[in-house]
Amino acid sequence: MGAGRAAPGILALALLALWRRAEAGCAEEARCCAGRDPSCASSGWRVDRAYGTCFCDEACKLTGDCCYDYAQACPALPCIVGEWSHWSGCAAQCKPNFRMRTRIIQQEPKNGGEPCPPLEEKAGCLEYTTYEGQDCGDAHVPAFITTSEYSKERKKRAANPRWSSETENSRSYCVEFKTETLSPRCSMENRPYARWMQYIREGFTVCVTCQPPAMHTSSHRCFGDGGDADGNKVLHWQAVGNPSCHGTWKKVQQLEECSCPLVHSFIFT
């Protein structure tokens, strides 16, 4: 009699064990694995509504065989990065080169979360003095240009110690050019801080600002601005940061202030 009464209890425990086994999933097994890991498995219902072996690794989202509770037990955590550092100085003096800024990872992505964005960016630059403070600007014949955004980063006295208060306070000026030719590499540029090159187009009028420290100390002019050249003289320009992006233009006029749209506004470097 007692054995008969115990049978239903034993059966209930067995059914409970089977149910728990069927619902094991990732949480019950306490599993969440990076990448592709075939051993990171459990059993129970899968997200594709099949029953059997299921997985708790990141790859299961691609193969569709995650355990039913994978999203809750292994929530996706995106990569988190810090703020950009300040731009570095130019990597070399007296020739077009690069400046750099970096940022660090504060949280690695987990469980298929958003991957980390680029941790390093480079942008073109050009400095006109050697490490010993000697002027080396006369070596540049073409007009070296970069995005007008660079002027926000440029610190006049820090970038070029040659400047006195007199030259620092001298007025900048704008030169309008009509582009004649440009190399195909300009439109192919897709680095974040070099995409401005894509906006240089043949036949377009662009504005280029001359300001310290690109302005020569004696003439108070920028190299490559065309000087007294008339509208028929073909002048050369090059984008700082990508030597393969270059071309020719003709001077239209010199103004006190630029009036071109931002995407067609640049500065002499």
Side-chain angles (χ1 to χ4, degrees), residues 110-156:
K110 293 183 179 180
N111 306 324
E114 190 72 21
C116 293
L119 302 177
E120 177 183 290
E121 284 187 344
K122 293 181 178 180
C125 62
L126 177 61
E127 293 184 359
Y128 286 82
T129 54
T130 65
Y131 289 114
E132 294 75 28
Q134 296 177 339
D135 185 5
C136 57
D138 292 328
H140 305 296
V141 177
F144 287 99
I145 63 170
T146 188
T147 171
S148 59
E149 292 294 311
Y150 181 42
S151 63
K152 296 179 180 179
E153 302 288 342
R154 179 184 276 167
K155 303 295 183 182
K156 297 177 182 179

Short mmCIF file of all heavy atoms in Angstrom, two decimals, residues 110-156:
data_model
loop_
_atom_site.label_atom_id
_atom_site.label_comp_id
_atom_site.label_asym_id
_atom_site.label_seq_id
_atom_site.Cartn_x
_atom_site.Cartn_y
_atom_site.Cartn_z
N LYS A 110 30.36 41.95 -26.37
CA LYS A 110 30.09 40.58 -25.93
C LYS A 110 28.79 40.08 -26.52
O LYS A 110 27.88 40.86 -26.81
CB LYS A 110 30.01 40.52 -24.40
CG LYS A 110 31.31 40.80 -23.68
CD LYS A 110 31.13 40.65 -22.16
CE LYS A 110 32.44 40.91 -21.43
NZ LYS A 110 32.28 40.78 -19.95
N ASN A 111 28.74 38.79 -26.72
CA ASN A 111 27.52 38.11 -27.16
C ASN A 111 26.94 38.71 -28.44
O ASN A 111 25.73 38.92 -28.56
CB ASN A 111 26.47 38.13 -26.05
CG ASN A 111 26.99 37.57 -24.75
OD1 ASN A 111 27.78 36.63 -24.74
ND2 ASN A 111 26.59 38.16 -23.63
N GLY A 112 27.82 39.01 -29.38
CA GLY A 112 27.37 39.54 -30.67
C GLY A 112 27.01 41.00 -30.65
O GLY A 112 26.33 41.48 -31.57
N GLY A 113 27.46 41.75 -29.63
CA GLY A 113 27.17 43.18 -29.58
C GLY A 113 27.91 43.96 -30.66
O GLY A 113 28.80 43.43 -31.34
N GLU A 114 27.55 45.21 -30.82
CA GLU A 114 28.14 46.07 -31.85
C GLU A 114 29.66 46.08 -31.73
O GLU A 114 30.20 46.32 -30.65
CB GLU A 114 27.60 47.49 -31.69
CG GLU A 114 27.94 48.43 -32.83
CD GLU A 114 27.17 48.13 -34.11
OE1 GLU A 114 26.12 47.49 -34.03
OE2 GLU A 114 27.65 48.54 -35.17
N PRO A 115 30.38 45.80 -32.83
CA PRO A 115 31.85 45.78 -32.76
C PRO A 115 32.43 47.18 -32.54
O PRO A 115 31.74 48.19 -32.70
CB PRO A 115 32.26 45.22 -34.13
CG PRO A 115 31.12 45.57 -35.03
CD PRO A 115 29.88 45.48 -34.18
N CYS A 116 33.69 47.22 -32.22
CA CYS A 116 34.36 48.50 -31.93
C CYS A 116 34.59 49.29 -33.21
O CYS A 116 34.96 48.72 -34.24
CB CYS A 116 35.69 48.25 -31.23
SG CYS A 116 35.53 47.54 -29.57
N PRO A 117 34.40 50.60 -33.16
CA PRO A 117 34.72 51.46 -34.30
C PRO A 117 36.24 51.65 -34.37
O PRO A 117 36.97 51.21 -33.48
CB PRO A 117 34.01 52.77 -33.94
CG PRO A 117 34.04 52.80 -32.45
CD PRO A 117 33.89 51.37 -32.01
N PRO A 118 36.74 52.32 -35.41
CA PRO A 118 38.18 52.56 -35.50
C PRO A 118 38.71 53.28 -34.27
O PRO A 118 38.05 54.18 -33.73
CB PRO A 118 38.31 53.43 -36.76
CG PRO A 118 37.12 53.08 -37.57
CD PRO A 118 36.02 52.81 -36.60
N LEU A 119 39.89 52.89 -33.83
CA LEU A 119 40.50 53.46 -32.63
C LEU A 119 41.59 54.47 -32.96
O LEU A 119 42.20 55.05 -32.07
CB LEU A 119 41.10 52.35 -31.75
CG LEU A 119 40.12 51.26 -31.31
CD1 LEU A 119 40.86 50.19 -30.51
CD2 LEU A 119 38.99 51.85 -30.49
N GLU A 120 41.83 54.69 -34.26
CA GLU A 120 42.87 55.61 -34.69
C GLU A 120 42.41 56.36 -35.91
O GLU A 120 41.78 55.79 -36.80
CB GLU A 120 44.16 54.83 -34.99
CG GLU A 120 45.31 55.66 -35.51
CD GLU A 120 46.52 54.81 -35.86
OE1 GLU A 120 47.15 54.28 -34.94
OE2 GLU A 120 46.82 54.66 -37.07
N GLU A 121 42.68 57.64 -35.96
CA GLU A 121 42.37 58.45 -37.13
C GLU A 121 43.57 59.31 -37.49
O GLU A 121 44.29 59.78 -36.60
CB GLU A 121 41.15 59.34 -36.89
CG GLU A 121 39.84 58.60 -36.93
CD GLU A 121 38.63 59.51 -36.85
OE1 GLU A 121 38.79 60.68 -36.45
OE2 GLU A 121 37.54 59.05 -37.17
N LYS A 122 43.78 59.49 -38.78
CA LYS A 122 44.86 60.33 -39.27
C LYS A 122 44.29 61.43 -40.15
O LYS A 122 43.29 61.23 -40.84
CB LYS A 122 45.88 59.51 -40.06
CG LYS A 122 46.67 58.50 -39.23
CD LYS A 122 47.67 57.75 -40.09
CE LYS A 122 48.49 56.78 -39.26
NZ LYS A 122 49.47 56.03 -40.10
N ALA A 123 44.94 62.57 -40.13
CA ALA A 123 44.56 63.68 -40.99
C ALA A 123 45.82 64.37 -41.47
O ALA A 123 46.86 64.34 -40.81
CB ALA A 123 43.66 64.66 -40.24
N GLY A 124 45.73 64.99 -42.63
CA GLY A 124 46.91 65.63 -43.21
C GLY A 124 47.33 66.88 -42.46
O GLY A 124 46.52 67.55 -41.81
N CYS A 125 48.60 67.20 -42.53
CA CYS A 125 49.12 68.42 -41.92
C CYS A 125 50.41 68.82 -42.62
O CYS A 125 51.02 68.02 -43.34
CB CYS A 125 49.36 68.23 -40.41
SG CYS A 125 50.58 66.95 -40.02
N LEU A 126 50.82 70.03 -42.38
CA LEU A 126 52.06 70.53 -42.96
C LEU A 126 52.58 71.63 -42.05
O LEU A 126 51.85 72.57 -41.72
CB LEU A 126 51.83 71.08 -44.37
CG LEU A 126 53.03 71.71 -45.08
CD1 LEU A 126 54.15 70.70 -45.26
CD2 LEU A 126 52.61 72.27 -46.43
N GLU A 127 53.83 71.52 -41.62
CA GLU A 127 54.43 72.54 -40.77
C GLU A 127 55.58 73.20 -41.52
O GLU A 127 56.23 72.58 -42.36
CB GLU A 127 54.93 71.92 -39.45
CG GLU A 127 53.77 71.44 -38.58
CD GLU A 127 54.22 70.92 -37.24
OE1 GLU A 127 55.44 70.91 -36.98
OE2 GLU A 127 53.35 70.52 -36.45
N TYR A 128 55.83 74.48 -41.19
CA TYR A 128 56.75 75.30 -41.97
C TYR A 128 58.06 75.60 -41.28
O TYR A 128 58.82 76.44 -41.72
CB TYR A 128 56.05 76.61 -42.36
CG TYR A 128 55.01 76.43 -43.43
CD1 TYR A 128 53.73 75.97 -43.11
CD2 TYR A 128 55.30 76.68 -44.77
CE1 TYR A 128 52.77 75.79 -44.09
CE2 TYR A 128 54.36 76.50 -45.75
CZ TYR A 128 53.09 76.05 -45.41
OH TYR A 128 52.15 75.87 -46.39
N THR A 129 58.33 74.93 -40.18
CA THR A 129 59.61 75.12 -39.51
C THR A 129 60.21 73.77 -39.15
O THR A 129 59.50 72.79 -38.92
CB THR A 129 59.45 75.94 -38.21
OG1 THR A 129 58.45 75.31 -37.39
CG2 THR A 129 59.03 77.36 -38.52
N THR A 130 61.53 73.74 -39.10
CA THR A 130 62.22 72.53 -38.67
C THR A 130 62.18 72.46 -37.15
O THR A 130 61.72 73.38 -36.48
CB THR A 130 63.69 72.56 -39.13
OG1 THR A 130 64.35 73.65 -38.46
CG2 THR A 130 63.79 72.76 -40.63
N TYR A 131 62.67 71.34 -36.61
CA TYR A 131 62.71 71.20 -35.15
C TYR A 131 63.62 72.27 -34.53
O TYR A 131 63.47 72.63 -33.37
CB TYR A 131 63.22 69.81 -34.77
CG TYR A 131 62.23 68.72 -35.06
CD1 TYR A 131 62.51 67.75 -36.02
CD2 TYR A 131 61.01 68.65 -34.39
CE1 TYR A 131 61.60 66.74 -36.30
CE2 TYR A 131 60.10 67.65 -34.65
CZ TYR A 131 60.39 66.69 -35.61
OH TYR A 131 59.50 65.69 -35.88
N GLU A 132 64.57 72.78 -35.33
CA GLU A 132 65.47 73.83 -34.84
C GLU A 132 64.88 75.22 -35.01
O GLU A 132 65.52 76.23 -34.69
CB GLU A 132 66.82 73.75 -35.57
CG GLU A 132 67.62 72.49 -35.27
CD GLU A 132 67.06 71.27 -35.98
OE1 GLU A 132 66.43 71.45 -37.05
OE2 GLU A 132 67.23 70.14 -35.46
N GLY A 133 63.66 75.31 -35.57
CA GLY A 133 63.01 76.61 -35.73
C GLY A 133 63.35 77.32 -37.02
O GLY A 133 63.02 78.49 -37.18
N GLN A 134 63.99 76.65 -37.97
CA GLN A 134 64.36 77.28 -39.23
C GLN A 134 63.19 77.22 -40.22
O GLN A 134 62.47 76.21 -40.29
CB GLN A 134 65.59 76.59 -39.83
CG GLN A 134 66.83 76.72 -38.97
CD GLN A 134 68.01 75.97 -39.55
OE1 GLN A 134 67.84 75.05 -40.35
NE2 GLN A 134 69.21 76.36 -39.15
N ASP A 135 63.03 78.28 -40.99
CA ASP A 135 61.95 78.36 -41.96
C ASP A 135 62.22 77.40 -43.12
O ASP A 135 63.31 77.37 -43.67
CB ASP A 135 61.84 79.80 -42.48
CG ASP A 135 60.65 79.99 -43.40
OD1 ASP A 135 59.88 79.04 -43.55
OD2 ASP A 135 60.51 81.09 -43.96
N CYS A 136 61.21 76.62 -43.48
CA CYS A 136 61.38 75.71 -44.63
C CYS A 136 60.20 75.81 -45.58
O CYS A 136 59.93 74.91 -46.35
CB CYS A 136 61.54 74.26 -44.15
SG CYS A 136 60.19 73.66 -43.11
N GLY A 137 59.45 76.91 -45.50
CA GLY A 137 58.27 77.07 -46.34
C GLY A 137 58.56 77.27 -47.80
O GLY A 137 57.73 76.93 -48.65
N ASP A 138 59.72 77.81 -48.14
CA ASP A 138 60.02 78.11 -49.54
C ASP A 138 60.12 76.86 -50.40
O ASP A 138 60.13 76.94 -51.62
CB ASP A 138 61.33 78.89 -49.64
CG ASP A 138 61.20 80.29 -49.05
OD1 ASP A 138 60.08 80.84 -49.14
OD2 ASP A 138 62.18 80.79 -48.49
N ALA A 139 60.22 75.70 -49.78
CA ALA A 139 60.35 74.46 -50.55
C ALA A 139 59.05 74.03 -51.19
O ALA A 139 59.03 73.14 -52.02
CB ALA A 139 60.87 73.34 -49.66
N HIS A 140 57.93 74.66 -50.83
CA HIS A 140 56.62 74.20 -51.30
C HIS A 140 56.14 75.10 -52.43
O HIS A 140 55.88 76.27 -52.24
CB HIS A 140 55.62 74.20 -50.15
CG HIS A 140 56.10 73.38 -48.98
ND1 HIS A 140 56.31 72.03 -49.06
CD2 HIS A 140 56.42 73.74 -47.72
CE1 HIS A 140 56.73 71.59 -47.89
NE2 HIS A 140 56.82 72.61 -47.06
N VAL A 141 56.00 74.52 -53.61
CA VAL A 141 55.56 75.28 -54.78
C VAL A 141 54.06 75.12 -55.01
O VAL A 141 53.35 76.10 -55.18
CB VAL A 141 56.35 74.87 -56.04
CG1 VAL A 141 55.83 75.61 -57.26
CG2 VAL A 141 57.83 75.14 -55.82
N PRO A 142 53.51 73.89 -55.03
CA PRO A 142 52.06 73.79 -55.24
C PRO A 142 51.30 74.32 -54.03
O PRO A 142 51.88 74.53 -52.96
CB PRO A 142 51.82 72.29 -55.41
CG PRO A 142 53.08 71.59 -55.09
CD PRO A 142 54.12 72.60 -54.80
N ALA A 143 50.01 74.53 -54.20
CA ALA A 143 49.16 74.93 -53.08
C ALA A 143 48.75 73.66 -52.34
O ALA A 143 48.05 72.82 -52.87
CB ALA A 143 47.93 75.65 -53.60
N PHE A 144 49.21 73.53 -51.10
CA PHE A 144 48.79 72.41 -50.27
C PHE A 144 47.55 72.84 -49.50
O PHE A 144 47.56 73.85 -48.80
CB PHE A 144 49.91 72.01 -49.31
CG PHE A 144 51.05 71.30 -49.99
CD1 PHE A 144 52.22 71.98 -50.33
CD2 PHE A 144 50.96 69.95 -50.30
CE1 PHE A 144 53.27 71.33 -50.96
CE2 PHE A 144 52.00 69.30 -50.93
CZ PHE A 144 53.16 69.98 -51.26
N ILE A 145 46.48 72.04 -49.62
CA ILE A 145 45.22 72.42 -49.00
C ILE A 145 44.69 71.29 -48.11
O ILE A 145 45.05 70.12 -48.28
CB ILE A 145 44.15 72.77 -50.05
CG1 ILE A 145 43.83 71.54 -50.92
CG2 ILE A 145 44.59 73.94 -50.89
CD1 ILE A 145 42.62 71.74 -51.83
N THR A 146 43.85 71.67 -47.17
CA THR A 146 43.16 70.69 -46.34
C THR A 146 41.80 71.26 -45.98
O THR A 146 41.47 72.41 -46.33
CB THR A 146 43.97 70.34 -45.07
OG1 THR A 146 43.34 69.25 -44.40
CG2 THR A 146 44.04 71.52 -44.12
N THR A 147 40.99 70.48 -45.28
CA THR A 147 39.65 70.92 -44.90
C THR A 147 39.69 72.15 -44.01
O THR A 147 40.60 72.32 -43.20
CB THR A 147 38.91 69.78 -44.16
OG1 THR A 147 37.70 70.28 -43.62
CG2 THR A 147 39.75 69.22 -43.04
N SER A 148 38.70 72.99 -44.14
CA SER A 148 38.64 74.20 -43.31
C SER A 148 38.47 73.86 -41.84
O SER A 148 38.75 74.69 -40.97
CB SER A 148 37.47 75.08 -43.77
OG SER A 148 36.24 74.38 -43.68
N GLU A 149 38.04 72.63 -41.52
CA GLU A 149 37.91 72.21 -40.13
C GLU A 149 39.26 72.21 -39.42
O GLU A 149 39.32 72.30 -38.19
CB GLU A 149 37.29 70.81 -40.06
CG GLU A 149 35.84 70.75 -40.50
CD GLU A 149 34.93 71.51 -39.55
OE1 GLU A 149 35.04 71.30 -38.33
OE2 GLU A 149 34.13 72.32 -40.02
N TYR A 150 40.34 72.09 -40.18
CA TYR A 150 41.68 72.05 -39.57
C TYR A 150 41.99 73.35 -38.84
O TYR A 150 42.76 73.37 -37.89
CB TYR A 150 42.71 71.76 -40.65
CG TYR A 150 44.14 71.67 -40.16
CD1 TYR A 150 44.45 71.00 -38.99
CD2 TYR A 150 45.18 72.22 -40.89
CE1 TYR A 150 45.75 70.89 -38.54
CE2 TYR A 150 46.50 72.12 -40.46
CZ TYR A 150 46.77 71.46 -39.29
OH TYR A 150 48.05 71.36 -38.85
N SER A 151 41.39 74.46 -39.29
CA SER A 151 41.68 75.74 -38.65
C SER A 151 41.24 75.75 -37.19
O SER A 151 41.77 76.49 -36.38
CB SER A 151 41.00 76.87 -39.42
OG SER A 151 39.59 76.71 -39.39
N LYS A 152 40.24 74.91 -36.85
CA LYS A 152 39.79 74.85 -35.46
C LYS A 152 40.83 74.19 -34.58
O LYS A 152 40.89 74.44 -33.37
CB LYS A 152 38.47 74.08 -35.39
CG LYS A 152 37.32 74.76 -36.13
CD LYS A 152 36.04 73.94 -36.03
CE LYS A 152 34.90 74.61 -36.78
NZ LYS A 152 33.65 73.80 -36.72
N GLU A 153 41.63 73.29 -35.16
CA GLU A 153 42.63 72.57 -34.40
C GLU A 153 43.96 73.32 -34.33
O GLU A 153 44.79 73.09 -33.47
CB GLU A 153 42.89 71.19 -35.03
CG GLU A 153 41.65 70.31 -35.13
CD GLU A 153 41.21 69.79 -33.79
OE1 GLU A 153 42.04 69.81 -32.84
OE2 GLU A 153 40.06 69.37 -33.66
N ARG A 154 44.13 74.22 -35.26
CA ARG A 154 45.44 74.89 -35.38
C ARG A 154 45.63 75.92 -34.28
O ARG A 154 44.81 76.79 -34.09
CB ARG A 154 45.50 75.55 -36.75
CG ARG A 154 46.79 76.32 -37.00
CD ARG A 154 46.70 77.01 -38.34
NE ARG A 154 47.07 76.13 -39.43
CZ ARG A 154 46.84 76.42 -40.71
NH1 ARG A 154 46.22 77.52 -41.04
NH2 ARG A 154 47.22 75.58 -41.65
N LYS A 155 46.72 75.79 -33.57
CA LYS A 155 47.08 76.78 -32.55
C LYS A 155 48.23 77.60 -33.12
O LYS A 155 49.33 77.10 -33.34
CB LYS A 155 47.53 76.08 -31.26
CG LYS A 155 46.49 75.15 -30.67
CD LYS A 155 45.25 75.90 -30.23
CE LYS A 155 44.25 74.95 -29.57
NZ LYS A 155 43.02 75.64 -29.16
N LYS A 156 47.97 78.89 -33.37
CA LYS A 156 48.92 79.70 -34.13
C LYS A 156 50.32 79.71 -33.53
O LYS A 156 51.29 79.36 -34.17
CB LYS A 156 48.39 81.12 -34.25
CG LYS A 156 47.08 81.21 -35.03
CD LYS A 156 46.58 82.64 -35.06
CE LYS A 156 45.27 82.74 -35.80
NZ LYS A 156 44.75 84.12 -35.80
#
